[in-house]
Amino acid sequence: MSALDHGSPPAVQRLDDEPDERVVVSRKAMEIVTALLAMAFGAMIMIGAMEHNRGWGDRGPEPGYFPFWIGLIVIAGSVGVIAQAVFKRSNGEVFLNRGQLKRLAAFSLPMVAFVALSTQVGFYAATMAYLLFVMIVQGGYRIATALAVSVGTTLTFFLLFEIWLRVPLLKGPFEAFVGIH
């Protein structure tokens, strides 16, 4: 027993320790999807370049010359990645399994909710709600601790941005109710 070990608590099962490791997304599928997105990006670059002259003029390249060829190179690279992914012998490599998807959702969904909520109720109310939720539900903190941290953080943001830096942030009905709108 080391000097720092004072009787450790029982092991807590983490999300990635779940026996359910079924594949949600394979590496091959993700390589193909990423290549298709890159190909679409390259096509957008080429289409934008075609709105300008893309040849070679008396003074050198025209405005659309380099973007057109860069877009073409991106598309060619994407085709190469797709071909490599399709013809590569798959050994069942996993990009995302169920446990990882749960962790990703546990992180991402509250962030998406925060952004959506901040447009409806304002930045400060959304910050307070987000911190309360994450600390209580995901962090397992007591309500009093989570409330103290969320209110303290929100007040700190208000002082920092609104008072000291004079940078107004998104406001909603909560801020109007409290009189800081």
Side-chain angles (χ1 to χ4, degrees):
M1 184 181 244
S2 70
L4 297 176
D5 189 13
H6 301 291
S8 56
V12 177
Q13 183 178 8
R14 298 182 339 200
L15 284 173
D16 59 346
D17 292 337
E18 292 180 357
D20 187 13
E21 296 295 322
R22 288 182 285 179
V23 176
V24 175
V25 180
S26 70
R27 179 178 171 146
K28 181 178 190 173
M30 188 51 69
E31 286 177 356
I32 292 171
V33 167
T34 303
L36 289 172
L37 289 172
M39 186 181 291
F41 181 68
M44 287 190 304
I45 292 171
M46 287 180 67
I47 290 169
M50 290 168 64
E51 294 176 1
H52 305 284
N53 293 334
R54 49 186 193 281
W56 199 270
D58 295 337
R59 292 188 249 169
E62 297 289 332
Y65 181 82
F66 286 114
F68 180 83
W69 288 104
I70 294 298
L72 190 62
I73 290 169
V74 169
I75 290 175
S78 300
V79 168
V81 169
I82 291 172
Q84 183 180 14
V86 168
F87 295 115
K88 179 175 67 172
R89 184 160 137 154
S90 177
N91 60 358
E93 291 179 87
V94 177
F95 180 79
L96 186 66
N97 63 32
R98 281 182 64 100
Q100 293 167 334
L101 180 62
K102 287 179 183 178
R103 284 198 325 260
L104 182 64
F107 175 77
S108 302
L109 293 178
M111 292 295 286
V112 170
F114 166 73
V115 171
L117 192 62
S118 67
T119 63
Q120 300 301 313
V121 299
F123 175 77
Y124 300 112
T127 299
M128 202 174 335
Y130 171 76
L131 288 174
L132 268 172
F133 175 80
V134 170
M135 288 184 72
I136 293 170
V137 174
Q138 293 180 352
Y141 289 91
R142 294 185 329 228
I143 292 175
T145 303
L147 193 59
V149 169
S150 64
V151 169
T153 301
T154 303
L155 285 174
T156 301
F157 282 165
F158 176 76
L159 290 173
L160 177 69
F161 291 110
E162 300 284 335
I163 306 298
W164 295 325
L165 298 175
R166 300 199 185 279
V167 176
L169 297 179
L170 205 53
K171 306 230 182 14
F174 172 74
E175 289 85 0
F177 176 75
V178 197
I180 59 172
H181 195 266

